[in-house]
Amino acid sequence: MTRLNLFAPEVRENPYPFYAALRRESPVCQVDPNGMWVVTRYDDIVAAFKNTQVFSSAGLRVASEPPYLRRDNPLSRSLLLADPPRHGQLRSLINRAFTAATVASLEPQMRSTAAQLVDQLVQRRAADFLSDLALRAQVSVLARLIGFDSALERHFKRWTTDLVSVGAVSPEDHARLDEVRRTIDEMEQYMLGLLASRRRKMENDLVSELLRSRTDDDGTTDQDLVALLFLLLVAGLETAIALMTQMVLILAQRPTWMDRLRAEPALIPRFIDEVLRFEPPVHATMRLTLAETELGGTRLPAHAVVALLIGSGLRDETKFQEADRFNPERRDQANLAFGHGAHFCLGVFLAKTQARVMLEELLRRCHRVALGADRLEWNVFLNTRCPMALPIEVVPASSPATRESPVVQGIW
């Protein structure tokens, strides 16, 4: 039997029929690239998330810091690649600084930025939603949240792209490896300088809160804080951009939902939750088995690289009725889109708030959103699945009444 290649163009374009076949026939099996193992059923994915003693995050540090990189990568020291108890220590530090109240305080800026970007879209009638709206909106809020110099915003996408591609760079591609090393040097130097600056003068930003939150006995170092800032930038940018892009793609494919959401704004949170289920921004997350184990009736060897296919688990027909149908009114809302258990993503409230604000501003100003291309090109990162670009065309709202923001009763 030929092994499925997760990077094959037809799989990237529409992986869900392939995932369904795996769930039926080989729910835990080996695939390409490199013969990694995949877990495709919802309950098995949850079981792996819970079993941190066997399914290790820390064991995968080599993927973000391969020997041929020839330097350390602060992202490999972040809580993303940490197991308990170290994960809990790092998580506690960021939890004290990054709260729901912090995100709520950013909403006015989010709305102002989204309104400006959508106004520009309406004037032009066409744009690449990913680069012209989603990227610019999230870069703006992350710069304000974390405390980065706004002049660096144009570098953020390059920084994140270089970091997430480390494991995919060939050891023979010396030019690309040099680019990645320069990016890590540039980021690390900037963030160490930012910490020093905030020690001299605290500001109203996350870097200052991280410094205030440290205690004498928590064992954290400046390198730990730099690792957290690397993670916040990479995860905060990639996840929110993918969520907003998939949201607008779904609106373009299902245009009547724009009318429905304008008429029933209370459905907006559930609409976004269904986007997260139907097209999760984090499509897979990686683990390394520390010992031989059994999962889903299959024996996994020790030191096996395992991809928990969240995108498959969220289409599991044993967990969700009509799993392949986009239905914001569904009652089975169990969601793995932001992880599970100890590794549940701390940026969930930020990403959902940004998506909600962008959606509300689109509903105010646009009657319809349509695709501006016959076919989309998809990225080739294992962890995320998102179009490389999303060209759209819009029909402006026809009545001044539609420019009033929908009032949402409650948030998430």
Side-chain angles (χ1 to χ4, degrees):
M1 181 177 176
T2 303
R3 285 198 308 217
L4 178 68
N5 188 335
L6 296 181
F7 287 166
E10 66 273 16
V11 178
R12 293 306 292 173
E13 185 171 3
N14 182 14
Y16 300 108
F18 299 96
Y19 293 167
L22 290 180
R23 288 194 302 273
R24 288 191 306 268
E25 302 164 11
S26 303
V28 179
C29 65
Q30 285 183 283
V31 300
D32 286 324
N34 305 320
M36 74 175 69
W37 293 82
V38 293
V39 181
T40 60
R41 290 178 178 169
Y42 186 98
D43 288 341
D44 292 335
I45 293 169
V46 170
F49 268 122
K50 290 179 176 178
N51 190 357
T52 57
Q53 292 183 327
V54 173
F55 292 90
S56 168
S57 299
L60 285 168
R61 288 181 180 178
V62 69
S64 63
E65 197 174 274
Y68 52 83
L69 185 61
R70 299 204 310 272
R71 65 147 295 152
D72 69 305
N73 180 357
L75 194 61
S76 69
R77 298 192 301 271
S78 71
L79 60 87
L80 180 67
L81 294 174
D83 293 329
R86 182 57 175 160
H87 178 273
Q89 294 169 343
L90 295 173
R91 181 79 179 223
S92 176
L93 176 64
I94 192 64
N95 281 346
R96 294 196 296 269
F98 187 36
T99 65
T102 302
V103 175
S105 71
L106 294 168
E107 184 168 336
Q109 179 190 333
M110 290 183 188
R111 189 166 301 280
S112 174
T113 301
Q116 293 174 17
L117 293 173
V118 176
D119 274 341
Q120 293 169 12
L121 168 64
V122 169
Q123 290 170 10
R124 297 195 306 268
R125 302 292 180 95
D128 172 9
F129 178 82
L130 191 153
S131 62
D132 294 336
L133 283 89
L135 173 61
R136 293 174 64 187
Q138 190 64 4
V139 159
S140 173
V141 74
L142 283 178
R144 173 65 186 84
L145 168 68
I146 299 174
F148 291 152
D149 185 345
S150 59
L152 289 173
E153 290 181 7
R154 59 192 176 90
H155 297 300
F156 285 1
K157 184 58 177 173
R158 172 176 60 84
W159 284 0
T160 59
T161 299
D162 286 351
L163 282 177
V164 300
S165 65
V166 168
V169 179
S170 166
E172 288 76 35
D173 193 345
H174 301 294
R176 182 72 182 118
L177 286 170
D178 285 342
E179 291 175 353
V180 171
R181 291 187 198 103
R182 285 194 294 270
T183 289
I184 295 174
D185 288 341
E186 185 180 338
M187 291 178 67
E188 191 169 40
Q189 290 169 13
Y190 174 74
M191 290 175 183
L192 286 170
L194 184 59
L195 290 173
S197 172
R198 291 300 184 268
R199 283 196 175 93
R200 292 190 296 270
K201 182 182 178 182
M202 292 289 189
E203 301 284 352
N204 183 26
D205 56 39
L206 189 61
V207 172
S208 300
E209 287 302 316
L210 285 171
L211 291 171
R212 293 188 187 103
S213 298
R214 289 177 66 180
T215 62
D216 293 336
D217 58 354
D218 66 12
T220 56
T221 65
D222 278 4
Q223 291 300 323
D224 293 327
L225 297 182
V226 167
L228 282 174
L229 295 178
F230 267 59
L231 176 61
L232 287 169
L233 178 59
V234 172
L237 204 60
E238 293 294 316
T239 303
I241 289 173
L243 171 56
M244 285 187 281
T245 300
Q246 294 282 18
M247 176 182 74
V248 171
L249 176 57
I250 286 170
L251 286 175
Q253 294 168 332
R254 297 163 178 81
T256 57
W257 270 102
M258 295 194 73
D259 298 328
R260 180 77 183 275
L261 294 174
R262 269 190 290 265
E264 301 177 63
L267 275 175
I268 288 175
R270 289 170 62 185
F271 179 90
I272 294 172
D273 279 340
E274 180 68 347
V275 173
L276 288 166
R277 185 199 69 83
F278 196 73
E279 289 286 2
V282 178
H283 210 69
T285 190
M286 308 300 294
R287 295 293 187 267
L288 186 75
T289 57
L290 299 183
E292 184 178 339
T293 190
E294 182 174 313
L295 185 65
T298 299
R299 298 298 298 179
L300 289 168
H303 311 301
V305 176
V306 180
L308 308 180
L309 292 183
I310 292 171
S312 173
L314 290 172
R315 297 286 188 104
D316 190 334
E317 47 284 309
T318 67
K319 199 73 179 180
F320 304 95
Q321 293 186 351
E322 299 181 289
D324 285 327
R325 185 166 76 93
F326 182 79
N327 177 19
E329 296 178 289
R330 68 174 58 252
R331 299 301 177 186
D332 41 7
Q333 285 286 340
N335 206 318
L336 290 174
F338 285 94
H340 184 84
H343 281 274
F344 186 75
C345 178
L346 56 86
V348 57
F349 189 70
L350 178 65
K352 281 188 170 187
T353 302
Q354 181 73 280
R356 173 176 58 81
V357 168
M358 180 63 74
L359 178 54
E360 289 171 355
E361 296 306 315
L362 284 168
L363 293 173
R364 287 182 67 192
R365 292 162 168 78
C366 302
H367 174 62
R368 284 288 185 268
V369 174
L371 284 178
D374 293 332
R375 191 166 186 173
L376 300 175
E377 180 181 356
W378 295 84
N379 67 5
V380 289
F381 298 141
L382 186 61
N383 295 89
T384 61
R385 179 174 177 271
C386 185
M388 298 290 287
L390 186 66
I392 60 170
E393 300 170 354
V394 298
V395 177
S398 58
S399 167
T402 63
R403 296 181 63 86
E404 295 299 322
S405 291
V407 177
V408 180
Q409 299 299 320
I411 300 177
W412 318 118

